[in-house]
Amino acid sequence: MLVSNLLVASRCLALVGLLSGAACCGKAEKPKAISAAEVGNPVKESDLTTVTITPEAEKRLGIKTVAIKTDNVRATREVGGEIQAVPGQAITIVAPVQGTLRGGAGITAGQRVRQGQTLYQLVPLPAERDLLTLDQGMAQSRTQLQVAQARLRRAEELLADRAGSVRARDDARADVALAQRALADARARQGALNGNTGGGQALPIKAPLSGVVQRVTVAPGSLVTANTVLVELAALNKVWVRVPLFVGDLRRLSKQAVTVRPLNGGASRQGQPVEAPLLGATAGTGTADVFYEIDNADEAFRPGERVAVDVALGNAAPGATNGATGAPTSTAALTVPAAALLYDATGGQWVYVRTAPRQYTRQRVEVQRAVGDQIVISRGVKAGAEVVTDGAAELFGTEFGGSH
């Protein structure tokens, strides 16, 4: 009886152990996570950007490389500016007397003129008090001519009958000539008043300087009074750039040349600071205007044109006032030539780095800013790496099948 009880107890213990073991195994197993999407054969970006070319292709593409270097780049800020004519070099031409304009049909805004070029011919009119007597003067001159002609005929008849003298005939001829001249002048004045300037003596209106026509206010053939504005000229051999700067930056503004760049990507030029008062302060925007002068002998810049200006900033000098005197500051940064930078269809910025002979790897970079013809790189490449300048675009086309 005792033996049978022990067998039953041992079987129960074994069963409890099996059940507890099964329970423990069930708790250890976790269901496998199911991913919402799976990517087959994932490839890193760097594995897709290496181009290996033959020596012949390298020569044909004209590939050249430069080493990335660390330069001391001065602290600059890119701001917008506006081209203006230099004060005193913009001239308004006015009519010296009242009269009728002749010529000037080809004078239009934007046209270049040279110093001494005749812009208009001005036929003067009589004074205003004489305009009321033009008709009366015309009739009087006509009558005087008729009387002088009658006297001449009478003197010639008397001389033919030997009853007159040669002197009397000559005097009569002189009177006729004077009367004819007076009548011609009266007709010219009357014609000028009516717009017919063919017979009048005209005054030339010439350009006092070489420049560009800014504005035309009259039309050929117009009647103008004295001091009427005819045209406005601006000399463009030198121009100013008006730069509105945040007033907080004025104390850091360096008294050095700035770089002026057209917005269409043309060649940049240096602008020299102008010792001019700070004008045009705007309380609403917290800005004040600073001016720079640039050479413009080829008239590449026009008044009113918008440009980009790279202004050098420095540390504020102790006790500096508006128009500050701080020296420019500079920081060490990685730079590459602008020709090495490429853009993809989404605006991504890339360079090609030579990783082995005739092997070039496209690497993504982050551009901080441009300084002249150099690009400051904040991340993506290391100093000493060789980047492609000449032939970078051709490599880009070769990689994506656009070049063969």
Side-chain angles (χ1 to χ4, degrees):
M1 185 66 175
L2 179 61
V3 175
S4 59
N5 291 337
L6 289 174
L7 291 174
V8 172
S10 62
R11 290 175 181 175
C12 291
L13 290 175
L15 180 61
V16 170
L18 291 173
L19 292 175
S20 61
C24 292
C25 292
K27 291 181 180 179
E29 292 182 356
K30 294 182 180 180
K32 185 178 180 181
I34 300 176
S35 176
E38 293 185 2
V39 179
N41 301 321
V43 181
K44 295 182 180 180
E45 183 181 79
S46 60
D47 295 335
L48 296 174
T49 57
T50 299
V51 179
T52 303
I53 59 178
T54 63
E56 294 77 10
E58 187 176 44
K59 182 178 180 180
R60 177 170 55 85
L61 296 178
I63 293 177
K64 294 182 180 179
T65 61
V66 297
I68 299 176
K69 57 183 179 178
T70 302
D71 289 334
N72 287 327
V73 181
R74 66 178 184 177
T76 60
R77 178 164 297 168
E78 181 178 331
V79 294
E82 180 183 359
I83 301 296
Q84 293 183 347
V86 178
Q89 295 297 314
I91 295 180
T92 300
I93 301 178
V94 299
V97 295
Q98 65 179 353
T100 304
L101 289 177
R102 179 195 302 171
I107 304 300
T108 57
Q111 177 182 353
R112 290 179 172 84
V113 297
R114 64 182 184 277
Q115 185 176 5
Q117 177 180 343
T118 300
L119 305 178
Y120 295 99
Q121 297 282 348
L122 180 64
V123 179
L125 288 176
E128 293 182 2
R129 63 178 179 272
D130 297 333
L131 293 176
L132 301 176
T133 61
L134 280 178
D135 293 337
Q136 181 180 356
M138 187 81 159
Q140 183 178 356
S141 297
R142 188 179 294 109
T143 301
Q144 290 176 349
L145 178 59
Q146 293 174 354
V147 172
Q149 289 174 342
R151 289 177 179 175
L152 176 58
R153 287 194 298 271
R154 180 59 179 168
E156 290 176 345
E157 291 175 356
L158 291 176
L159 182 60
D161 294 340
R162 298 181 181 275
S165 64
V166 175
R167 180 177 179 180
R169 183 199 62 183
D170 293 341
D171 290 342
R173 287 180 176 176
D175 291 341
V176 169
L178 291 175
Q180 289 175 340
R181 179 63 181 271
L183 181 60
D185 291 341
R187 286 175 175 172
R189 290 193 296 270
Q190 186 70 36
L193 181 63
N194 296 330
N196 180 15
T197 61
Q201 183 178 3
L203 299 176
I205 306 296
K206 297 184 178 181
L209 52 80
S210 298
V212 174
V213 178
Q214 293 289 98
R215 189 163 65 101
V216 180
T217 61
V218 293
S222 301
L223 292 175
V224 296
T225 59
N227 298 323
T228 298
V229 176
L230 305 180
V231 293
E232 294 180 1
L233 300 179
L236 300 182
N237 56 328
K238 291 183 180 296
V239 293
W240 280 12
V241 184
R242 181 181 67 86
V243 181
L245 285 179
F246 175 59
V247 291
D249 289 335
L250 294 180
R251 295 182 182 274
R252 301 178 55 203
L253 184 62
S254 173
K255 290 187 175 180
Q256 289 195 352
V258 298
T259 301
V260 181
R261 294 179 285 107
L263 297 182
N264 61 358
S268 61
R269 299 190 183 182
Q270 296 297 308
Q272 300 298 329
V274 176
E275 294 294 338
L278 298 177
L279 304 176
T282 305
T285 59
T287 62
D289 293 340
V290 181
F291 296 89
Y292 297 89
E293 184 177 271
I294 60 176
D295 290 329
N296 192 40
D298 58 353
E299 298 180 0
F301 294 96
R302 297 293 186 92
E305 179 180 354
R306 299 287 181 173
V307 294
V309 183
D310 294 328
V311 180
L313 300 178
N315 294 321
T321 58
N322 288 348
T325 58
T329 60
S330 60
T331 56
L334 294 178
T335 61
V336 299
L341 189 63
L342 297 169
Y343 294 87
D344 60 21
T346 61
Q349 299 161 329
W350 304 82
V351 295
Y352 277 100
V353 178
R354 184 163 66 180
T355 54
R358 301 188 307 279
Q359 189 176 82
Y360 303 92
T361 301
R362 181 164 53 91
Q363 294 185 7
R364 187 185 298 271
V365 294
E366 291 184 6
V367 174
Q368 187 179 67
R369 55 194 170 96
V371 180
D373 59 352
Q374 296 292 311
I375 302 296
V376 179
I377 302 297
S378 59
R379 188 170 62 179
V381 289
K382 296 181 180 180
E386 294 187 8
V387 295
V388 178
T389 54
D390 297 354
E394 286 76 6
L395 279 177
F396 198 72
T398 299
E399 179 182 350
F400 291 99
S403 177
H404 300 283

